[in-house]
Every structure is written in structure tokens, then in C-alpha cells.
Amino acid sequence: QPEEVLVEEVILPAAEPMNEAATLSEEDFGIAYANAQVINFDARVDLTSYFTLYEGASISDYTFTLTYAKGGKPFTRDISAEVKQESNGNRYAVKIADIPVAYWDFEYVITVTQKDSGASYELRSSILAWAKRCITSYETKAATLSDEELAQVNTAQVNMAKAMYYYNQAANDYFDR
């Protein structure tokens, strides 16, 4: 049985919807980070980030790039063509698909740049950052609930998040990362 890992010991990038360099308000910028990443576990692991487009803005007014480091070497690619419109019209999804287990602790940076002004912001996250948020959310909730209420909380997601951490660490050990 693996030793218990305290969530405070897991150092991961947090979801950061705006960086200090953005000089425009989200509304003036025209697009905003909408909500936390969603992970799809349908035989693969995907990380999806959602953005909301403000009225009057067009998705074609922006470029989207993805940056991550593999083996210490940064990779950046334009993912603008991969941004998909959701059913409600002003919501868009950026999916990083099929992330191998050994890359779950990699920091993925999505940069959204307004073509006309050059203003940009970054969203930084990782699969394990999502897992850490699950664990932290549960721990926060657990601190405020009675034993009876806590017994009613579904712990499947937090247990899965912990298992993901151990699985990633085992993959890193195997691949000598």
C-alpha cells in the first residue's frame, strides 16, 4: 500500500484565468475563461477548458495557442482551428485530448490573444491540478460537516483524484522522469 500523501505536498500549477499582463477588462477583451476544466475519462483522459465570448466579439478575433514542456523542451502550437463552439452559441471549448498518464503533471498553458490589440492572457493547468482541486474541495467540505453529513458525501471523485496522483507517480518512476 502506498504511503499517504498530504495534498499540501503535491505542488501543481493552479488554474490561473488571467495573467498580470492583460491590460483590458474581460468584457473589453471580449472573451473570458468560463469555468474549471472538465476531464473526460472515457478510456482516455482529456482536459477541456471553456471560454465565454462576450456580445459583439467574434471567435475569429482571437488566436489560441497551447504550450507545454516535454522532456524539458517547450512545445507551442496554434490550436485556434481546434476551438469548438458549444450548443449555447457564446461558449467555446478548448480540448487537450488523449493526455498520457506520464504527462498528467505537465503544466499546459492556453494563451488567448486578441488579434487587433495583441493583448493576451493565459490559463495554466494540468490534470493533477484538477485532481488537487477535487481533494482540496473535499477537505474544505469535510472540515465544515458533521460526521453524519460527511458519511453522506460521495468520496468516489476524491478517491479517483488520489489514485490519479499515484498512477502518475508510478508512470514517472517507470519512465524515469
Side-chain angles (χ1 to χ4, degrees):
Q1 175 172 335
E3 66 182 81
E4 183 68 22
V5 174
L6 299 174
V7 72
E8 304 82 52
E9 295 173 2
V10 182
I11 299 172
L12 301 167
E16 304 255 350
M18 295 291 285
N19 69 12
E20 301 280 328
T23 57
L24 302 172
S25 70
E26 288 181 350
E27 192 167 352
D28 288 339
F29 192 70
I31 192 169
Y33 173 66
N35 69 337
Q37 292 78 18
V38 176
I39 298 182
N40 171 24
F41 290 103
D42 185 21
R44 62 178 192 213
V45 177
D46 300 339
L47 185 60
T48 305
S49 300
Y50 294 95
F51 296 86
T52 301
L53 195 63
Y54 285 89
E55 189 173 331
S58 169
I59 199 67
S60 63
D61 295 338
Y62 304 90
T63 59
F64 292 77
T65 56
L66 172 65
T67 304
Y68 61 96
K70 186 161 87 174
K73 180 180 177 189
F75 289 88
T76 300
R77 65 184 177 91
D78 187 325
I79 57 170
S80 300
E82 300 169 35
V83 176
K84 302 292 182 211
Q85 186 173 20
E86 294 289 294
S87 59
N88 75 358
N90 71 335
R91 187 173 156 115
Y92 289 81
V94 176
K95 181 191 286 188
I96 305 167
D98 298 324
I99 301 172
V101 65
Y103 298 173
W104 287 357
D105 55 348
F106 283 17
E107 180 179 62
Y108 295 90
V109 180
I110 298 171
T111 304
V112 182
T113 304
Q114 193 178 52
K115 290 179 182 176
D116 287 345
S117 70
S120 66
Y121 72 86
E122 297 175 341
L123 171 68
R124 298 173 176 272
S125 197
S126 73
I127 296 293
L128 290 188
W130 174 86
K132 183 176 181 178
R133 282 193 304 276
C134 290
I135 295 166
T136 303
S137 174
Y138 171 78
E139 289 175 344
T140 301
K141 189 182 294 184
T144 62
L145 298 177
S146 69
D147 289 343
E148 267 182 28
E149 293 170 319
L150 192 57
Q152 302 300 315
V153 174
N154 183 350
T155 58
Q157 188 177 45
V158 75
N159 290 337
M160 179 184 62
K162 289 178 180 181
M164 290 172 65
Y165 171 79
Y166 291 123
Y167 189 33
N168 171 256
Q169 295 307 298
N172 287 346
D173 289 346
Y174 179 79
F175 293 111
D176 198 28
R177 275 194 346 122

